[in-house]
Amino acid sequence: MAGSSIGQRLVLTSFGESHGKCVGAVLDGCPAGLELDEKDVQVMLDYRKPGQSLVSTQRKEGDIVEILSGVFRGYTTGAPIAMIIWNKDQNSRDYEQLQTKMRPGHSDYPALVKYNGFNDYRGGGRFSGRLTATHVMGGAVARKLLRVALNVETHSYTTKIGRISMRDKFDLSMKEKIYANEVRCPDQNAAKRMRNAILDARKSGDTLGGIIESTTYNVPVGLGEPIFGSLESDISKAIYSIPSVKGVEFGSGFAGSELFGSQNNDPYVTRGGKITTKTNNAGGILGGLSNGMPIVMRVAFKPASSIAKRQSTVDIKTKKPVILQVQGRHDPCVVPRAPPVVDSLVSLVLADHALMGGFIKPVL
Amino acid sequence: MAGSSIGQRLVLTSFGESHGKCVGAVLDGCPAGLELDEKDVQVMLDYRKPGQSLVSTQRKEGDIVEILSGVFRGYTTGAPIAMIIWNKDQNSRDYEQLQTKMRPGHSDYPALVKYNGFNDYRGGGRFSGRLTATHVMGGAVARKLLRVALNVETHSYTTKIGRISMRDKFDLSMKEKIYANEVRCPDQNAAKRMRNAILDARKSGDTLGGIIESTTYNVPVGLGEPIFGSLESDISKAIYSIPSVKGVEFGSGFAGSELFGSQNNDPYVTRGGKITTKTNNAGGILGGLSNGMPIVMRVAFKPASSIAKRQSTVDIKTKKPVILQVQGRHDPCVVPRAPPVVDSLVSLVLADHALMGGFIKPVL
Amino acid sequence: MAGSSIGQRLVLTSFGESHGKCVGAVLDGCPAGLELDEKDVQVMLDYRKPGQSLVSTQRKEGDIVEILSGVFRGYTTGAPIAMIIWNKDQNSRDYEQLQTKMRPGHSDYPALVKYNGFNDYRGGGRFSGRLTATHVMGGAVARKLLRVALNVETHSYTTKIGRISMRDKFDLSMKEKIYANEVRCPDQNAAKRMRNAILDARKSGDTLGGIIESTTYNVPVGLGEPIFGSLESDISKAIYSIPSVKGVEFGSGFAGSELFGSQNNDPYVTRGGKITTKTNNAGGILGGLSNGMPIVMRVAFKPASSIAKRQSTVDIKTKKPVILQVQGRHDPCVVPRAPPVVDSLVSLVLADHALMGGFIKPVL
Amino acid sequence: MAGSSIGQRLVLTSFGESHGKCVGAVLDGCPAGLELDEKDVQVMLDYRKPGQSLVSTQRKEGDIVEILSGVFRGYTTGAPIAMIIWNKDQNSRDYEQLQTKMRPGHSDYPALVKYNGFNDYRGGGRFSGRLTATHVMGGAVARKLLRVALNVETHSYTTKIGRISMRDKFDLSMKEKIYANEVRCPDQNAAKRMRNAILDARKSGDTLGGIIESTTYNVPVGLGEPIFGSLESDISKAIYSIPSVKGVEFGSGFAGSELFGSQNNDPYVTRGGKITTKTNNAGGILGGLSNGMPIVMRVAFKPASSIAKRQSTVDIKTKKPVILQVQGRHDPCVVPRAPPVVDSLVSLVLADHALMGGFIKPVL
């Protein structure tokens, strides 16, 4: 495959650019018989949508999805599901200076070299965070499929913005609180402080990064394949397709590498006749396979590269230093818009493996 | 693909089990005309080999590689390069209790469920760290290819064992010092303390984890594809195929998520007429593409799961709690053996992208 | 991949149904820098378009293609090229009886079983010949790419309708005559007789099949890969995606299997300092690789399954025999509309291999 | 994938060369729990083995297969099954002249150009028919899997040698007669005449081609995917990986293209409460999907290119005409050795689709 597709049995293909006509997705391999309409997808897109609050970009996009194929009389048919969102509020004039002035932290420079100047640079073109809407289109279907077929539930939420962390460990009882605030942190106190930190950064023309955690419940034992088809391999590959992601860890992750084996191993116990583990340092994955415990992953987002502050850079034509002031409407922090994207990618990978492993049948 | 292969234009297929006849690899898509013999591969295998020092397992394996195909009169032919190592010192009796007693931290339990008991459980079977020898077989070829064709150099080294960290930032001048000690840390003082920490853990029947960093120099600008073919996606997918890996980050990674955008962005400057960046928080990758700066990645390894200490677990047949004492010869810390594995996987991904992107031709 | 995509470095993904909203295609991996607009695609779509003459279906579709992404300021950008045609003249009421009465020769029955009734059966749904418009969308781009980058020219033309064959062997001087008649046969005399045969079949409520030959000129030596990546493997895989195709042969093909080796071998000769062969029984492919001679392939199309005559079949619900009379507007012979489809698929495969083999660069 | 692998869920990777150390195969994705040992594979290899009779090459190879991985205590484990045959009777001196004198009909010339002379040319190297032993290694496993899991039976047999055809239509009652003669034709009278034709050709230093038909029984309805995943697409791709194949047709094939639709359509009928068709012109495949009728395919083999007769060709160094007399031991007709190869490739494709479609589970 050439880079715009992911998955083996359930394949998502993404197309479109930030300031082109549209962004779209084709999801091939979804089982027939899943009840589906635009609302199932729209609800997740709305959580990702720009222009909703002060913590995100002021670009206003309706982001209304249209299903073009693969659904007949309210059910999926087994044929590829094409979905599209027409772009509306792009303002490309803001970007003309970017043809030659390379924005630090963005793909501008390597993309210009790679495509010898033929790439659509407006708003980052193909490299824009706007393309994560295509992840959500496909991911919303995968997430519903997992829920309907296997009762699997994925929840992603902000656990850190800049240096401000959520206190408590997430559990399923908090799921309704995730979208109760603008930053998508189920700890409402932390959420307030995170919001303030973002607004402060915004005021000073700067941006913040953060961490999103994702927990998936009810995953059957045995999803994944040894070695190159490990769940961690495929989930991290998917997650790193999100712009700004610079770190992915599972279970105890980087912190776990400081522990002794006797501390980090999760002892097996039986509970209600079922085998489970006392702790979950493994994050639900052993040897690349799901072990029945919740799959826990954390994603590090760098602070958004588009800052309002003046930055020094070079002009690619003159090869001389210049001062750049990025125009356009940008996110002071992309983290609050990312939980549905993380949900989507985790769901796509798990659904793909559930299909390959025979956990979900080709017709529901 | 079904899980035992990785890559698109340069494809590595792995086979074998820890206590089977052999472990082997088939590398398809290597350009014709690369000078190659067993020594090129053996040198990297030797760095990974067990039984070399007190910090690793006492299982003794010659690990002598034999090239079976794809090389003719000292040069690659363009045909798949099959390589094999015959297993010698396996001692399978140690593992009989593992049929029913699930080792915490290992793949035993999910593998047993997934394969309904048909999997070869001896020494972890297909899930054993021994299979990383197959990564090295393919990776040694990819690494040489990158060096010969593009002068690309990958170096991986231990930066942390347990809580002991390397002090200095790695630079190319240190490359000769990596293998000058048993723990593969170019900082010799830290190396000594790391070694002691491992021996202490060993003595108490415990294990340690750690961090390996990998830096790749001279990568041309523009390797990688947007979105799902990002270098970070493909590198992390490869790295997570190593047993015990629980975290992967690039550039400033998790720490970078605490910074402001104005701190984390890497300003462009010209140096000797060439465009480069002042800092390298991006770890050499922007928008999924190489930007010409060194590619910097860190990998978190959990402490090895096979500890000599007694552990509580359950017997899968009786579903009752039992005490397990793992027999066999195991690594008190797998980190020191992993740098050639990380080198290999990074090289495989970069060579694959270099071929796809036209940076390396199908015949040298 | 899940069945709706083809290619490795140049990947075509098809979506849509005969009576859905649209049919569309995403072409990923096209090099940046190819001059491209809708006209390049429309000209080939027009040759395939229904409703143009008495020898094809009377369904009228404008079949106007719209490029949605991947082209910026008149040139391809390297991003996926999404293209769409909105369906207009579908008349789905004709198909209601098909929910239970299985049409002989069509996919109705296996599709109903496979998808347990969830498939969109209207007009054949996903299995309709209408989907070959998506092959042409992608193929028109591939064909232009091959012409611009390598001067490769593919021409496909009707050589047989029913029992009426073209007399002469095709050569490049005839290329302008292919589209000079409704049946797309460069031999104008044969074309007349073929047209009459189709009209006769139509009058009697019946249909005809035939043969299309495809010849590709100026293919460089060495495209293709040994064994599973042979040009014949990949071309035949692509061609068999066309509904109604039941045979594919290269060079002397089935007839060649009756010859002696001494007759069928193509002796090498030099001509103008260049190595070539006296004859071309190999059809330009040896060992799966192009040998520099024209690639010659023939495709057998069965007579169209939708006949106006009454047919006996079974009702899937009652499992009783019934008489079926297929309504709707159908092609008395699909062969005249297929040459641009064959051109497209051959071009897609050759362009894919040209990119993989380094014959075309990622940026023109 | 880079050309040496085929399949998606069940993936065969082939390695080795005609005069190298070995030929081998890795089959990944085979379900766990299939009883398997070397004998299951050997029996099919023996049917393909050279040196068995006057109608095939006199090169003697034991062709004893060794299973290297993926089988534990007599059952498949779900891990990749690596298999190997060590080459023994190669006689490479015969081939030295071939470095410069291009054999007509062989891959010598395009391979030399493609690999710039680095390819192993001895005995055709990677392009040799000897590599079909790797198809049989994987195919024998797939064939057993289909039989055990689904009662699917594939039988391939010679129906034509040169101009001599088998009389009767094959049916299942003839299956025991296929290997009752050297040419593998179940019609014993035709077999005798075919044998004589081959011996005559051999005596005159010439070779013959022919046709193999393959029929597969008990295929469930609904294997295959629409468009690019059609059974015909995937079977023909696999079959064209066999050297010397120049034509593939299904059902009525090329002959069917001369019929009217009313003649070629297969009317549905019920038989014993089951839906079936009166005739089988579709060859068991409609819309790319199996329809429950036997899958019938025919394969055209060109006459073997290695003839003992003197041939004119060119010397690649001098670019001057030369006379070539091919040395070595060659098949006067490769068709009699090919039925197990065709069986194998059909089985691999059907098993792959059976796994993807959920007809066979990941653990038996």
Side-chain angles (χ1 to χ4, degrees), chain A residues 1-6 8 12 14 102-107 109-111 113-115 126-127 131 135 160-163 201 206-211 221-230 232-234 236-241 245-251 253-254 256-270 273-275 278 281-283 285-291 298-307 309 311-316 319-321 345 356-357 359, chain B residues 1-6 8 12 14 102-107 109-111 113-115 126-127 131 135 160-163 201 206-211 221-230 232-234 236-241 245-251 253-254 256-270 273-275 278 281-283 285-291 298-307 309 311-316 319-321 345 356-357 359:
Chain A
M1 287 180 292
S4 297
S5 300
I6 194 164
Q8 294 190 70
L12 180 70
S14 152
M102 304 291 96
R103 291 175 302 171
H106 277 282
S107 63
Y109 170 63
V113 172
K114 183 180 181 69
Y115 299 109
R126 184 71 184 145
F127 296 87
L131 270 301
H135 302 6
K160 198 169 178 188
I161 295 287
R163 293 172 177 277
D206 220 325
T207 59
L208 284 177
I211 293 178
V221 180
L223 261 73
E225 301 295 328
I227 309 193
F228 300 116
S230 95
E232 287 146 327
S233 282
D234 284 346
S236 70
K237 176 177 167 72
I239 294 295
Y240 271 116
S241 73
V245 169
K246 284 293 179 180
V248 172
E249 63 177 15
F250 293 84
F254 277 88
S257 70
E258 296 190 348
L259 302 177
F260 286 107
S262 58
Q263 299 170 306
N264 194 62
N265 277 354
D266 302 308
Y268 286 105
V269 292
T270 43
K274 248 189 74 184
I275 289 169
K278 246 190 214 171
N281 288 319
I285 303 176
L286 287 173
L289 309 182
S290 57
N291 70 351
R298 272 173 304 281
V299 187
F301 287 78
K302 69 176 182 183
S305 302
S306 289
I307 60 177
K309 281 188 171 168
Q311 298 177 84
S312 60
T313 186
V314 297
D315 183 299
I316 197 83
K319 297 221 169 163
K320 294 223 169 115
L345 292 166
M356 280 192 286
F359 296 89
Chain B
M1 288 182 290
S4 298
S5 300
I6 195 164
Q8 295 190 68
L12 181 71
S14 152
M102 304 290 97
R103 291 174 300 170
H106 277 282
S107 62
Y109 171 63
V113 173
K114 183 180 181 71
Y115 299 109
R126 183 72 184 144
F127 296 87
L131 269 302
H135 302 8
K160 200 170 176 185
I161 295 288
R163 293 173 178 276
D206 220 325
T207 59
L208 284 178
I211 293 178
V221 180
L223 261 74
E225 301 294 328
I227 309 190
F228 299 117
S230 95
E232 286 146 326
S233 282
D234 285 345
S236 70
K237 176 178 167 70
I239 294 294
Y240 271 115
S241 73
V245 169
K246 284 293 181 179
V248 172
E249 63 177 14
F250 293 85
F254 277 88
S257 71
E258 296 190 347
L259 301 178
F260 286 107
S262 58
Q263 299 170 307
N264 194 62
N265 277 353
D266 301 309
Y268 286 105
V269 291
T270 43
K274 250 190 74 185
I275 290 169
K278 248 190 215 170
N281 288 317
I285 303 177
L286 288 172
L289 310 181
S290 58
N291 71 351
R298 270 174 305 281
V299 187
F301 287 78
K302 68 175 182 184
S305 302
S306 289
I307 60 177
K309 284 189 168 167
Q311 300 177 85
S312 61
T313 186
V314 298
D315 183 299
I316 198 81
K319 296 219 170 167
K320 293 225 169 112
L345 291 166
M356 281 192 284
F359 295 89

Side-chain angles (χ1 to χ4, degrees), chain C residues 113-127:
Chain C
V113 172
K114 182 179 183 69
Y115 299 109
N116 199 18
F118 285 109
N119 59 306
D120 179 355
Y121 55 82
R122 299 168 303 163
R126 184 71 184 144
F127 297 87

Side-chain angles (χ1 to χ4, degrees), chain D residues 106-307:
Chain D
H106 278 281
S107 63
D108 301 357
Y109 171 63
L112 181 139
V113 172
K114 182 180 183 68
Y115 299 109
N116 199 19
F118 285 109
N119 58 307
D120 179 355
Y121 55 82
R122 298 169 303 164
R126 184 71 183 144
F127 296 87
S128 165
R130 178 144 184 78
L131 270 301
T132 58
T134 72
H135 302 6
V136 175
M137 293 182 219
V141 180
R143 197 162 176 247
K144 179 164 187 187
L145 173 64
L146 284 167
R147 185 163 52 73
V148 169
L150 296 172
N151 198 28
V152 165
E153 278 190 61
T154 298
H155 299 289
S156 304
Y157 38 88
T158 302
T159 59
K160 199 169 177 185
I161 295 287
R163 295 173 176 276
I164 302 166
S165 296
M166 168 178 171
R167 283 273 165 78
D168 303 322
K169 225 175 136 285
F170 181 81
D171 66 60
L172 205 42
S173 72
M174 302 178 186
K175 72 177 177 181
E176 307 295 347
K177 297 183 186 158
I178 299 172
Y179 289 97
N181 60 66
E182 293 170 356
V183 295
R184 314 319 193 187
C185 172
D187 170 343
Q188 306 303 321
N189 277 328
K192 252 181 242 169
R193 294 161 55 223
M194 290 173 176
R195 183 176 186 276
N196 290 336
I198 296 174
L199 296 182
D200 285 353
R202 177 196 191 96
K203 215 178 300 173
S204 63
D206 220 326
T207 59
L208 283 178
I211 294 178
I212 287 176
E213 187 175 84
S214 169
T215 308
T216 306
Y217 297 88
N218 303 328
V219 182
V221 180
L223 261 74
E225 300 294 328
I227 309 191
F228 299 117
S230 95
L231 282 188
E232 287 145 327
S233 282
D234 284 346
I235 292 174
S236 70
K237 176 178 167 69
I239 294 295
Y240 271 116
S241 73
I242 309 173
S244 301
V245 169
K246 284 293 180 179
V248 172
E249 63 177 13
F250 293 84
S252 61
F254 277 88
S257 70
E258 295 190 348
L259 301 178
F260 286 106
S262 58
Q263 298 170 307
N264 193 63
N265 278 354
D266 301 310
Y268 286 106
V269 291
T270 44
R271 201 171 295 152
K274 249 190 73 186
I275 289 168
T276 181
T277 59
K278 246 190 217 169
T279 50
N280 188 19
N281 288 318
I285 303 176
L286 287 174
L289 310 181
S290 58
N291 70 352
M293 294 293 286
I295 293 181
V296 181
M297 181 199 50
R298 271 174 304 281
V299 187
F301 287 79
K302 68 176 182 183
S305 301
S306 289
I307 59 177

Side-chain angles (χ1 to χ4, degrees), chain A residues 17-23 59-65 85-92 130 329:
Chain A
E17 299 92 12
S18 181
H19 287 218
K21 291 182 179 176
C22 62
V23 293
R59 174 173 172 174
K60 303 257 190 244
E61 289 281 358
D63 275 7
I64 304 300
V65 70
I85 291 172
W86 300 99
N87 288 334
K88 298 239 161 95
D89 188 30
Q90 66 267 46
N91 190 343
S92 302
R130 180 148 183 74
R329 297 146 300 173

Side-chain angles (χ1 to χ4, degrees), chain B residues 9 355-362, chain C residues 9-10 29-34 76 141-152 218-220 223 347-364:
Chain B
R9 176 68 186 73
L355 282 159
M356 281 192 284
F359 295 89
I360 300 180
K361 292 191 194 153
Chain C
R9 177 67 187 72
L10 183 70
C30 181
L34 179 70
T76 57
V141 179
R143 197 163 178 246
K144 180 164 186 184
L145 173 63
L146 284 168
R147 185 164 50 74
V148 168
L150 295 173
N151 198 29
V152 165
N218 303 327
V219 182
L223 261 74
S347 297
L348 281 163
V349 173
L350 293 179
D352 193 21
H353 276 279
L355 283 158
M356 281 192 284
F359 295 90
I360 299 180
K361 292 189 193 153
V363 181
L364 292 192

Side-chain angles (χ1 to χ4, degrees), chain C residues 1 3 8 114 160 206-207 222 224 228 232-234 237 240 246 248 250 257-258 261-262 265 282 285 305 311, chain D residues 1 3 8 114 160 206-207 222 224 228 232-234 237 240 246 248 250 258 261-262 265 282 285 305 311:
Chain C
M1 288 184 289
Q8 295 191 71
K114 182 179 183 69
K160 198 169 176 187
D206 220 324
T207 58
F228 300 118
E232 286 145 327
S233 281
D234 285 346
K237 175 177 168 69
Y240 271 116
K246 284 293 181 181
V248 172
F250 292 84
S257 71
E258 298 190 346
S262 58
N265 277 354
I285 303 177
S305 301
Q311 299 177 83
Chain D
M1 288 183 291
Q8 295 190 71
K114 182 180 183 68
K160 199 169 177 185
D206 220 326
T207 59
F228 299 117
E232 287 145 327
S233 282
D234 284 346
K237 176 178 167 69
Y240 271 116
K246 284 293 180 179
V248 172
F250 293 84
E258 295 190 348
S262 58
N265 278 354
I285 303 176
S305 301
Q311 300 177 83

